[in-house]
Amino acid sequence: MVNNSDRTFFIQLILWTTANGISMISTWALIIAIARSPKARSISFNVYLIFSILPDAYKNTSGFFSNLANLVMTDGNPNACTVIGWNDAYWWCANLWMACIVFGHLRELLIANKNAQRHEPPVMSRVIIESTAVHIFSMVMASLTLIPVDLIPKATALSGCEAYPEEGNTGQHIFYWAFYLPVTALFPTMWVTGLSVDIWWRELLPVNGKSRSLLFYFARLLAVIYVVTLTVIVSFLFGGWVQAMAFVMFNLVGLLSVCLALMKKDIMRCWKQMWTCTSSDVTVADDNTNPDTVSRERIRVKIDSENINAVDSTAWQKFTYPGWS
């Protein structure tokens, strides 16, 4: 049970609820903006983006109403901490593993671009299967915190409504540090770090032209991964206002993801169309500026009839980035 008579805690609760509300509105707005555009939602990486934002949208929606329940009741809601703890465990696991999967596909695309090779983005069925698997796995890992076994940490008011090991409980500390945290956070973070070093070492990341959109997508993944991992560790190691501000950062990661996603031009276009109530593209086929269609046509024009391999390298580069505008 929480104690709203504690003025410091009450102020912290207001901050958490406010941060939840900001991220809740921004994440759902972005998902709706992409989903209402046939062109945007036909691009594999944009669908990955939706699945990557979904954990933030759910977490902040549920967290907002759970924290609101704690605010309006003197002793808080007895089930709110359990809900918040489950939400956060699911959120950071799904967020990090989704970023890990997308990072792998992004690296494949960058390698193809570096070698001036044609790259086919993941088919939509693969995007859905991979993303669904990550979300189910994350739900299972979060649900472990609900099992009534002393070995598994529980989300309580004393732990800041997070499923952190109790002080002095050796079994919970071993379970958390040897299994739970590595599987849900450390492994995907280390994997992405290794891929980042490989991308940097091989000079795969472009910095100009249309491919510059990749830079922002790349930055969004890195920012989310390291901010989430850092806040998880800080919130466990520290208490008081340091932990409270880490929780605020937890709740603002959704807003951070949205801001970085909007640096991708087609996403910004969808965002503006939604808020200005203008029509989204009717169909992908009707849009003659579809990068995939335009790039394919340019390749056909560039092919020399006497030498099938004589293709302008810039045309190949444009084809490598269908949908990146």
Side-chain angles (χ1 to χ4, degrees):
M1 301 283 282
V2 299
N3 181 13
N4 286 344
S5 61
D6 184 334
R7 186 171 180 273
T8 298
F9 178 78
F10 191 71
I11 293 172
Q12 292 172 351
L13 196 55
I14 292 175
L15 291 175
W16 300 336
T17 307
T18 302
N20 277 139
I22 293 170
S23 285
M24 175 183 69
I25 294 171
S26 60
T27 50
W28 281 117
L30 182 65
I31 290 171
I32 293 171
I34 298 173
R36 70 189 290 271
S37 169
K39 179 183 175 183
R41 67 172 183 260
S42 70
I43 298 170
S44 299
F45 281 104
N46 286 347
V47 178
Y48 274 127
L49 180 59
I50 290 177
F51 276 104
S52 298
I53 295 290
L54 269 176
D56 286 290
Y58 165 75
K59 168 195 174 298
N60 286 291
T61 301
S62 181
F64 176 78
F65 288 106
S66 296
N67 281 326
L68 200 61
N70 277 333
L71 275 173
V72 299
M73 300 176 68
T74 304
D75 295 323
N77 187 299
N79 298 317
C81 266
T82 302
V83 173
I84 293 171
W86 189 97
N87 289 346
D88 286 351
Y90 156 73
W91 163 73
W92 82 57
C93 184
N95 231 324
L96 292 173
W97 279 109
M98 278 303 304
C100 196
I101 286 178
V102 177
F103 220 95
H105 290 304
L106 189 57
R107 177 176 172 274
E108 293 173 0
L109 192 155
L110 290 170
I111 291 174
N113 176 69
K114 180 77 172 181
N115 298 326
Q117 295 175 341
R118 172 174 175 169
H119 177 268
E120 291 291 346
V123 295
M124 204 58 67
S125 59
R126 181 177 179 180
V127 173
I128 294 172
I129 290 172
E130 288 180 346
S131 301
T132 302
V134 166
H135 284 265
I136 291 175
F137 169 73
S138 301
M139 290 176 188
V140 171
M141 293 303 296
S143 297
L144 290 180
T145 64
L146 304 178
I147 299 176
V149 176
D150 185 61
L151 180 69
I152 302 175
K154 306 294 184 296
T156 66
L158 293 177
S159 64
C161 291
E162 301 294 340
Y164 293 155
E166 298 174 2
E167 186 176 351
N169 191 321
T170 305
Q172 288 191 3
H173 277 271
I174 292 175
F175 175 84
Y176 188 80
W177 290 104
F179 170 72
Y180 197 79
L181 190 63
V183 171
T184 59
L186 298 183
F187 286 167
T189 303
M190 291 171 63
W191 177 250
V192 168
T193 300
L195 291 179
S196 299
V197 172
D198 178 66
I199 289 171
W200 170 78
W201 184 261
R202 297 166 66 172
E203 298 180 346
L204 298 177
L205 196 61
V207 293
N208 51 39
K210 284 193 173 185
S211 57
R212 186 168 174 265
S213 294
L214 276 173
L215 183 62
F216 295 127
Y217 203 105
F218 187 90
R220 190 197 74 80
L221 291 174
L222 283 181
V224 168
I225 287 170
Y226 291 115
V227 168
V228 169
T229 303
L230 183 62
T231 50
V232 168
I233 295 174
V234 169
S235 64
F236 173 77
L237 295 177
F238 297 91
W241 274 102
V242 175
Q243 185 186 63
M245 295 313 295
F247 291 158
V248 171
M249 197 63 237
F250 259 7
N251 298 344
L252 288 176
V253 168
L255 176 64
L256 173 64
S257 293
V258 170
C259 291
L260 290 170
L262 290 176
M263 293 180 181
K264 191 166 179 283
K265 290 184 180 179
D266 63 328
I267 301 299
M268 175 58 81
R269 184 166 54 249
C270 296
W271 180 267
K272 289 179 178 177
Q273 287 174 343
M274 182 185 69
W275 289 109
T276 57
C277 297
T278 54
S279 300
S280 60
D281 11 71
V282 179
T283 62
V284 178
D286 291 339
D287 188 350
N288 58 13
T289 63
N290 184 346
D292 193 17
T293 305
V294 173
S295 299
R296 289 177 188 272
E297 192 60 37
R298 283 174 179 160
I299 288 175
R300 293 192 190 101
V301 173
K302 291 291 183 182
I303 293 180
D304 187 327
S305 59
E306 296 180 358
N307 182 0
I308 194 67
N309 294 319
V311 181
D312 186 351
S313 61
T314 59
W316 276 113
Q317 186 177 22
K318 289 173 183 174
F319 180 76
T320 304
Y321 295 95
W324 293 94
S325 58

